[in-house]
Amino acid sequence: MPTETFEFQVEARQLLQMMIHSIYSNKDVFLRELISNASDALDKLRLEALRDESLDADVSDLHIAIETDGEARTLTVRDNGIGMSHDEVVQLIGTIANSGTAKFLQELKQAKDAATAEGLIGQFGVGFYAAFMVADEVTLVTRRAGQSEGTRWSSTGEGTYTVEPVEDAPQGTAVTLRLKPVDQEDQLFDYTSRWKIKEIVKRYSDFITWPVRMAPEPPADGERAEDAEDGKAAAEPETLNSMKALWARSRDEVSDEEYHELYKHISHDWSDPLETLRMQAEGTFEYQALLFLPSRAPQDLFAREHRRGVQLYVKRVFIMDHCEALLPEYLRFVKGVVDAQDLSLNVSREILQQDRQIQLMHRRLVKKVLSTIKEMMAQRPENYATFWREFGRVVKEGLLSDHENRDAILRIASFPTTHDQEKPATLQQYVERMKEGQEHIYFMTGESRTAIENSPHMEAFRDKGYEVLLLTDPVDEVWVETVPEFDGKELRSIAKGEADLAKEESEEDKAERAKRQEDFAGLLSWMTERLGDEVKEVRLSSRLTVSPACVVSDTDDVTPALRNMYRAMGQELPEAKRILELNPGHPLVEGLRKAQAERPDDADLAGTAELLHGMALLAEGGELSDPARFTKLVAERLERAL
């Protein structure tokens, strides 16, 4: 057959020009595309040889070879795989994405950014043409396994391509690029450079199933092999990739040390991981995952610029370093690799967020991580204690964002409680220890354990022996507002609403409480009026046993700490007055009641009421609205006492 010259279709010519002018943001990926195509060809030949025993093909040493010529400025990627016939070359290579070129161009023009544009390429099978970003001319020589005649395809990407027969073509495919001049500013590197080739292969194709080989570096001028044996050893090609895709090998074939080395390579962490998770999904959508739970939190875990997400591979070809779509933000500490079989090689972050297969993997990976933590809690409590100390604060963020797995997160969470000074407790353990007649799970938020334990709100709960969760992480202020219950038990703040501890009161106690309410009615009404600018209501407390007063929020009100968090983020919430609760058994409160009844017009009593409110605010770590006035009132009372 003579040499045939074809003209690209209009759409294909436009597409080539876009490709040449860097749709890809990183030109290095051209080599990833060529190696991936070669790997696919080797896979197909192996499968074809198994199906057809009569196939005349050499499968004894399947591999990929990279050849460079610095003087001629050429780079060749060669494989001895399935190869292509003349008709396949015309169909697959000659017409770029013949079934979808027009649609591709339309979507490409609508792409809002370079990442989206880059992600569209693989969907239409045009990754091969990434070679034109770095080459002035691309030549492909191929021969299909089992056939005698080969085919040469060649193009400069200017509008035409040629196809001609080749008599002595070896089995497989060789793609030769006549490289453009080096241009560092345009990210055009020297792709005949040995170190650059090794860098790209290590980054993108290290786990490819087949060996990627390169001829050894030639000896420097004046050097020679000392003997024939050394000369032969020096001539052996170098394999550039490790081919150790640990996630694709069975567990008994891989040592813990190998897993740990992979973790350190991925995470840049010098310590061993706490847990190793393996997943393998088969069926309509196949993927493998190898994930790691670190043993310590990185310093930038809560920094905005923290890079999160696991590495994404497609058929062992590296695609993305930090694939955020695979795991939610509250699992941002998880490291590892996910290798999918059916994704495109060229997927952008925007496309991944919409991909149904990625969403399916996301759900399964999350459930696997959470179930592993639960198993660790039951089987390896020391590991769990380390994990929760390092990452518990982050995991609790999932209570706000992951409603589907909220219950699972609650069951693996543990919290400091009043039950034990050292050991935190799970909600399940709390429920199992609840006192007879106790209906709710009680908690209090605060800046520190000491501040909460010394809070006036704790007094009655301590007296009754009720366990209280001591929540000191900033995220606790938020999630407790959105999680109503656990195992049918309502979560209730001891610093909000009525304490509701009087359910087991005797008739005598109820009668005494009613009498106190009647006796203090006048004081409560008077103080509510006097402190009306500061408080919503003044009432008697059932939560105080030692302190004279405390300030509580209404059941549905936002706590001051949460209000401050929103303010720090630039969001102002409408102010809500709080409730002042008085301890009717405290001498100061009883004395104020008597004094107010005897001297209702005494101006000093109003100052005492202000002091009582101010002391309650300070006792919970709050801020005074007028510190100068409070200090003046205290000074006046001290002066009179001397």
Side-chain angles (χ1 to χ4, degrees):
M1 292 177 61
T3 300
E4 300 173 277
T5 301
F6 299 90
E7 193 169 308
F8 288 115
Q9 299 169 350
V10 175
E11 293 90 346
R13 192 157 52 244
Q14 293 175 7
L15 180 57
L16 263 178
Q17 289 305 309
M18 288 184 180
M19 188 70 72
I20 292 168
H21 292 94
S22 290
I23 292 174
Y24 279 99
S25 54
N26 178 7
K27 293 182 174 63
D28 289 355
V29 297
F30 85 90
L31 188 55
R32 178 191 77 180
E33 298 291 339
L34 298 181
I35 292 175
S36 177
N37 289 345
S39 177
D40 286 344
L42 294 170
D43 287 337
K44 290 175 181 176
L45 177 60
R46 181 176 60 177
L47 184 61
E48 191 71 22
L50 291 173
R51 289 176 176 173
D52 184 2
E53 295 181 0
S54 64
L55 182 68
D56 182 19
D58 180 10
V59 294
S60 60
D61 182 27
L62 300 180
H63 65 278
I64 301 165
I66 299 178
E67 303 162 6
T68 60
D69 186 332
E71 292 184 9
R73 297 284 301 149
T74 62
L75 167 69
T76 299
V77 177
R78 187 186 307 278
D79 69 74
N80 55 349
I82 191 69
M84 289 180 283
S85 66
H86 174 276
D87 291 343
E88 286 173 329
V89 169
V90 173
Q91 179 184 356
L92 299 176
I93 304 298
T95 56
I96 305 175
N98 56 355
S99 63
T101 304
K103 182 183 177 186
F104 173 78
L105 282 170
Q106 182 181 357
E107 294 197 13
L108 194 60
K109 291 173 182 176
Q110 294 172 352
K112 295 180 180 178
D113 53 45
T116 306
E118 182 177 331
L120 288 168
I121 294 171
Q123 293 185 319
F124 295 89
V126 296
F128 166 79
Y129 283 87
F132 282 100
M133 294 189 302
V134 300
D136 286 326
E137 182 180 30
V138 177
T139 301
L140 177 144
V141 177
T142 183
R143 177 172 68 82
R144 184 170 180 81
Q147 296 186 0
S148 58
E149 188 176 73
T151 304
R152 178 184 287 112
W153 179 98
S154 183
S155 177
T156 59
E158 294 297 326
T160 62
Y161 59 91
T162 61
V163 179
E164 61 181 311
V166 178
E167 291 297 332
D168 55 350
Q171 169 190 304
T173 301
V175 181
T176 301
L177 282 60
R178 182 160 56 81
L179 296 166
K180 295 179 179 180
V182 174
D183 185 347
Q184 298 282 351
E185 290 185 5
D186 194 30
Q187 304 290 305
L188 272 170
F189 302 106
D190 182 5
Y191 294 112
T192 65
S193 165
R194 187 179 189 84
W195 73 264
K196 184 62 179 175
I197 297 296
K198 293 174 74 170
E199 176 194 65
I200 297 173
V201 172
K202 188 69 177 174
R203 176 167 178 78
Y204 290 107
S205 307
D206 193 44
F207 301 118
I208 288 285
T209 311
W210 309 104
V212 179
R213 298 172 183 166
M214 195 173 187
E217 199 163 2
D221 292 342
E223 289 186 7
R224 62 182 179 82
E226 292 185 5
D227 51 50
E229 204 170 299
D230 284 347
K232 182 179 179 182
E236 288 291 323
E238 179 184 359
T239 300
L240 306 183
N241 59 325
S242 71
M243 296 177 285
K244 288 186 177 181
L246 302 184
W247 56 88
R249 295 157 65 184
S250 63
R251 178 64 181 90
D252 55 7
E253 293 179 4
V254 185
S255 67
D256 288 340
E257 289 72 21
E258 286 179 297
Y259 281 138
H260 295 174
E261 284 303 313
L262 177 61
Y263 164 75
K264 292 172 183 177
H265 171 71
I266 291 171
S267 66
H268 308 293
D269 183 6
W270 53 265
S271 56
D272 290 338
L274 196 63
E275 292 285 328
T276 301
L277 296 69
R278 288 177 53 91
M279 279 187 73
Q280 183 158 341
E282 297 179 347
T284 55
F285 178 48
E286 297 183 7
Y287 64 91
Q288 296 159 321
L290 183 60
L291 305 180
F292 302 96
L293 301 184
S295 56
R296 61 190 184 94
Q299 292 184 341
D300 63 346
L301 185 61
F302 292 97
R304 284 187 177 181
E305 59 273 14
H306 176 75
R307 301 295 300 276
R308 68 179 182 89
V310 297
Q311 292 186 348
L312 176 63
Y313 283 73
V314 174
K315 297 179 182 177
R316 300 194 186 186
V317 177
F318 176 74
I319 300 299
M320 197 176 295
D321 207 5
H322 300 281
C323 185
E324 298 178 356
L326 286 170
L327 285 171
E329 191 167 2
Y330 73 91
L331 296 179
R332 58 184 174 273
F333 52 85
V334 176
K335 304 297 181 184
V337 171
V338 174
D339 189 356
Q341 302 302 308
D342 303 313
L343 288 177
S344 160
L345 279 180
N346 307 283
V347 284
S348 70
R349 297 181 188 278
E350 292 77 10
I351 291 174
L352 284 175
Q353 290 170 358
Q354 307 298 325
D355 191 284
R356 187 187 65 82
Q357 294 176 337
I358 289 289
Q359 292 171 359
L360 178 64
M361 280 197 293
H362 175 103
R363 286 197 296 271
R364 290 180 178 174
L365 292 173
V366 170
K367 291 186 183 301
K368 178 64 174 178
V369 172
L370 297 181
S371 66
T372 299
I373 298 170
K374 185 177 181 180
E375 181 212 357
M376 184 167 51
M377 176 191 284
Q379 306 294 332
R380 299 175 295 283
E382 290 185 3
N383 281 13
Y384 169 78
T386 300
F387 168 81
W388 195 256
R389 183 179 65 249
E390 296 291 324
F391 301 106
R393 180 179 166 190
V394 185
V395 173
K396 286 187 287 187
E397 294 175 8
L399 295 171
L400 299 170
S401 57
D402 190 353
H403 299 286
E404 181 181 348
N405 293 297
R406 177 180 285 174
D407 187 67
I409 297 171
L410 284 174
R411 292 186 183 279
I412 63 169
S414 56
F415 311 93
T417 82
T418 53
H419 178 75
D420 192 309
Q421 283 286 332
E422 303 295 332
K423 190 176 179 181
T426 65
L427 291 180
Q428 188 62 47
Q429 291 169 333
Y430 180 103
V431 170
E432 291 170 358
R433 289 197 294 258
M434 284 174 61
K435 295 281 186 180
E436 187 177 349
Q438 180 181 345
E439 296 183 356
H440 309 302
I441 297 173
Y442 294 111
F443 70 86
M444 185 173 175
T445 59
E447 291 186 359
S448 67
R449 181 184 185 114
T450 301
I452 297 175
E453 288 184 324
N454 293 329
S455 169
H457 301 98
M458 291 286 297
E459 294 173 1
F461 294 87
R462 187 182 295 114
D463 278 1
K464 284 186 171 291
Y466 285 172
E467 186 175 355
V468 178
L469 304 178
L470 310 176
L471 308 181
T472 57
D473 291 331
V475 69
D476 293 331
E477 291 282 355
V478 187
W479 75 258
V480 293
E481 299 287 333
T482 61
V483 177
E485 54 88 29
F486 173 80
D487 267 5
K489 305 292 184 182
E490 180 185 343
L491 273 72
R492 181 166 291 191
S493 171
I494 67 171
K496 272 188 165 189
E498 296 279 3
D500 196 22
L501 298 176
K503 287 193 175 295
E504 298 180 20
E505 283 184 329
S506 64
E507 291 300 322
E508 186 178 334
D509 290 337
K510 290 180 181 178
E512 183 180 347
R513 185 156 55 88
K515 186 177 185 308
R516 278 185 169 178
Q517 189 68 37
E518 183 179 340
D519 291 343
F520 279 83
L523 176 66
L524 299 178
S525 176
W526 173 77
M527 287 187 67
T528 299
E529 183 180 347
R530 289 287 177 182
L531 301 175
D533 291 340
E534 299 285 339
V535 301
K536 180 189 296 185
E537 176 190 358
V538 181
R539 68 190 182 198
L540 295 184
S541 178
S542 60
R543 76 186 86 220
L544 296 174
T545 60
V546 178
S547 302
C550 69
V551 180
V552 300
S553 298
D554 223 343
T555 305
D556 298 321
D557 284 350
V558 175
T559 63
L562 186 56
R563 189 183 305 279
N564 290 337
M565 287 175 60
Y566 277 110
R567 185 177 294 122
M569 294 186 292
Q571 300 180 41
E572 284 291 343
L573 298 180
E575 289 293 334
K577 294 180 182 179
R578 302 177 71 201
I579 298 166
L580 178 64
E581 289 193 349
L582 304 180
N583 178 2
H586 195 280
L588 176 57
V589 176
E590 175 62 23
L592 181 58
R593 181 188 72 81
K594 290 180 179 178
Q596 194 276 329
E598 295 170 1
R599 307 188 306 275
D601 298 327
D602 189 343
D604 280 349
L605 296 181
T608 304
E610 288 183 49
L611 284 173
L612 202 57
H613 176 243
M615 289 190 298
L617 281 173
L618 293 175
E620 71 162 10
E623 296 181 0
L624 300 170
S625 59
D626 191 349
R629 175 166 174 76
F630 182 82
T631 305
K632 179 182 177 183
L633 290 171
V634 172
E636 288 176 354
R637 264 93 184 140
L638 290 174
E639 184 181 348
R640 291 177 195 169
L642 294 175

